């Protein structure tokens, strides 16, 4: 059984969708821990209710990013994960920490990368007049919100959309694609070559 550690900072709805799919679909994996950098992250409640180990590594308790990264890595490594899943984890990790989990750390970003890396993606997509928005699951590299793309979902930007309505439409897709991408990983169905990820079972890597 593969061991999954999930990192969150807040609501944790993506974490929840992964936990539910993992048990509901009988993946060859367990979510062994949920770690938050914020003590008040709402998602921790769900993890505790599910009997999943939780820990908090509060970034505010550390003087430097390196010190935070080291403590976070220690908390992650205590659970010996095969895969680390960032699910709304709102801290940027340094290169050393990212390298430690190379090819075994996933993130979801609410845009069609490489467009709109960083914050306020929905607002920026609307302001740019985009007709298409979406979400991307990718392997984490030391470049923020970049890295080999595993799976993308696209949704229309409708006239009259605001940040909230667009983010809700995108989030509903996130809850579909993130569990799927994590399942592919734990089932050994992902190959990366030259920065391009292939799903070896022939499942579509684009959801429309
Ligand atoms: C999601 O939109 C995710 O793509 C972004 O932050 C949000 C987290 O939501 N990185 P949740 O905590 O998973 O509900």
């Amino acid at each position: 059984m593969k061991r999954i550690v999930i990192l969150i900072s807040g609501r944790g709805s993506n974490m929840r969708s992964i936990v539910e799919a993992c048990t509901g679909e009988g993946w060859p994996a367990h979510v062994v821990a949920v770690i938050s950098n914020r003590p008040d992250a709402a998602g921790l409640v769900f993890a505790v209710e599910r009997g999943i180990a939780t820990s908090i590594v509060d970034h505010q308790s550390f003087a430097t990013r390196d010190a935070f990264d080291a403590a976070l890595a220690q908390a992650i490594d205590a659970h010996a994960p095969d895969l680390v899943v960032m699910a709304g984890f709102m801290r940027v990790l340094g290169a050393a920490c990212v390298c430690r989990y190379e090819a075994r750390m996933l993130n979801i970003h609410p845009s069609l990368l490489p467009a709109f890396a960083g914050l306020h993606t929905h607002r920026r997509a609307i302001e740019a007049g985009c007709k298409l928005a979406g979400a991307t699951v990718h392997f984490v590299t030391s470049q923020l919100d970049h890295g080999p793309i595993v799976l993308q979902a696209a949704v229309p930007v409708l006239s009259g959309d605001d940040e909230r309505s667009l983010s809700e439409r995108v989030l509903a897709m996130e809850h579909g694609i993130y569990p799927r991408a994590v399942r592919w990983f734990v089932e050994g169905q992902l190959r990366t070559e030259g920065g391009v990820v292939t799903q070896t079972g022939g499942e579509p890597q684009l959801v429309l």
Side-chain angles (χ1 to χ4, degrees), residues 8-15 87-90 107-110 122 171 174-175:
I8 64 169
S9 295
R11 179 177 56 184
S13 67
N14 279 291
M15 175 266 300
F89 183 70
M90 301 303 284
N107 181 44
I108 191 161
H109 184 73
H122 307 298
L171 188 67
E174 293 183 41
H175 296 160

Side-chain angles (χ1 to χ4, degrees), residues 39-190:
D40 59 351
L44 289 168
V45 175
F46 171 82
V48 168
E49 281 170 6
R50 284 298 183 109
I52 299 169
T54 57
S55 51
I56 292 157
V57 183
D58 185 348
H59 61 278
Q60 292 183 321
S61 312
F62 297 90
T64 64
R65 188 167 78 174
D66 284 351
F68 168 71
D69 282 4
L72 180 67
Q74 196 175 20
I76 293 170
D77 292 350
H79 298 282
D82 299 286
L83 175 66
V84 180
V85 174
M86 299 172 98
F89 183 70
M90 301 303 284
R91 301 302 296 175
V92 176
L93 300 177
C97 190
V98 169
C99 283
R100 190 181 188 90
Y101 304 106
E102 190 181 359
R104 57 187 181 112
M105 183 182 257
L106 292 172
N107 181 44
I108 191 161
H109 184 73
S111 79
L112 292 172
L113 292 175
F116 305 120
L119 297 174
H120 309 301
T121 55
H122 307 298
R123 187 197 313 165
R124 288 158 61 207
I126 291 168
E127 284 172 0
C130 291
K131 309 305 174 212
L132 202 59
T136 304
V137 179
H138 65 97
F139 282 104
V140 176
T141 63
S142 52
Q143 199 184 348
L144 180 68
D145 296 330
H146 280 77
I149 291 171
V150 176
L151 179 55
Q152 290 187 304
V155 298
V157 181
L158 304 177
S159 64
D161 257 341
D162 57 16
E163 208 171 342
R164 184 182 171 145
S165 61
L166 181 57
S167 69
E168 284 171 358
R169 191 175 311 117
V170 171
L171 188 67
M173 296 300 259
E174 293 183 41
H175 296 160
I177 64 170
Y178 212 0
R180 190 179 310 185
V182 174
R183 176 174 61 78
W184 289 346
F185 183 96
V186 300
E187 291 179 349
Q189 296 199 56
L190 296 176

